[in-house]
Amino acid sequence: MNPWLLSIPLAYLLGSIPFGYLLVKIFRHEDIRATGSGNIGATNVARSGAKGLGIATLLLDAGKSFLAVKIALHLAPGNYDLAVITAVAAILGHVFPIWLGFRGGKGVASALGVILALSPATAACTFGIFLVVFLLTRYVSLASMIGSATFPLFGLYFLPQRTPLVIAGLIFIPLLVIVKHHQNIRRLLSGTESRFGKKKGE
Ligand code: NKO
């Protein structure tokens, strides 16, 4: 079977598994979309008081998209055009899951997973930037956006192929992540964004 026809729909389907939503529903019988920021991501799951489920959400959301890209690279070794388009499909699955009326997450953990599969060095550098901004500000959203913004630079440096499709993917992924943070941007500007591990107002 043509690896494109297999990898891309599979990536969307894997990406669209809303682990944060499912874990909170199964273990706490709550709808994560009704608490905190309303996001289905690891940060909001942890914020809702379920630290362990937050960590599990991060690992599973990153893991599903990591797997999607690894499958593409397995079916078509060295084809980074396919790998990057598969990466985009997995993130689109997470951000626009058919199961939740196309209202999904912000794509941070799923982007981390695809980057790890595409280029571990790029993932390490992007995560490093994330960590510095997070430790300085305690804003996960700001760290995610600044990490995203630097990702194309590291990707261009470390990825073995720089085709037009690869470059387009490297630019599209952070744009999507940042656009999905529009409410966080508004809260950051008005000083009402919540800092990780702190109650409102601290
Ligand atoms: O609830 O709106 P919220 O405050 O939850 O959430 C904002 C947050 C949404 O994202 C998540 C996933 C949290 C993952 C945190 C650790 C992952 C560190 C990886 C950073 C690398 C950045 C990669 C982006 C590349 C395009 O932001």
Side-chain angles (χ1 to χ4, degrees):
M1 191 173 176
N2 182 322
W4 291 75
L5 289 181
L6 189 59
S7 299
I8 294 170
L10 186 64
Y12 173 82
L13 284 177
L14 277 171
S16 70
I17 305 170
F19 283 112
Y21 172 80
L22 291 174
L23 290 175
V24 172
K25 197 85 194 166
I26 291 166
F27 291 102
R28 292 171 71 100
H29 313 291
E30 286 166 8
D31 187 338
I32 187 62
R33 299 170 300 177
T35 71
S37 68
N39 193 40
I40 62 166
T43 308
N44 201 39
V45 173
R47 182 186 289 129
S48 76
K51 286 264 155 64
L53 291 185
I55 293 169
T57 301
L58 172 60
L59 294 177
L60 290 166
D61 279 348
K64 69 187 181 185
S65 56
F66 176 85
L67 182 67
V69 173
K70 279 292 179 196
I71 290 172
L73 282 169
H74 178 77
L75 294 174
N79 186 340
Y80 280 80
D81 276 352
L82 175 60
V84 167
I85 296 303
T86 302
V88 168
I91 297 170
L92 286 175
H94 180 79
V95 174
F96 304 106
I98 188 167
W99 325 110
L100 297 180
F102 299 102
R103 282 194 287 271
K106 298 178 183 175
V108 179
S110 47
L112 181 65
V114 301
I115 299 168
L116 204 57
L118 289 169
S119 157
T122 305
C125 292
T126 309
F127 182 70
I129 299 282
F130 169 93
L131 208 58
V132 169
V133 178
F134 173 69
L135 291 175
L136 288 175
T137 67
R138 297 271 153 190
Y139 291 127
V140 178
S141 56
L142 187 66
S144 298
M145 287 188 281
I146 294 179
S148 298
T150 63
F151 155 66
L153 304 176
F154 296 124
L156 275 180
Y157 184 76
F158 287 115
L159 275 175
Q161 291 168 17
R162 293 182 200 92
T163 62
L165 218 50
V166 166
I167 293 170
L170 290 182
I171 294 170
F172 177 77
I173 292 170
L175 281 180
L176 178 65
V177 170
I178 292 169
V179 166
K180 283 297 293 183
H181 280 81
H182 63 97
Q183 289 169 333
N184 303 83
I185 295 171
R186 212 165 299 139
R187 285 195 293 268
L188 284 163
L189 291 174
S190 64
T192 55
E193 177 73 326
S194 70
R195 292 182 198 263
F196 195 79
K198 293 192 177 174
K199 296 271 170 293
K200 245 197 167 125
E202 274 185 75

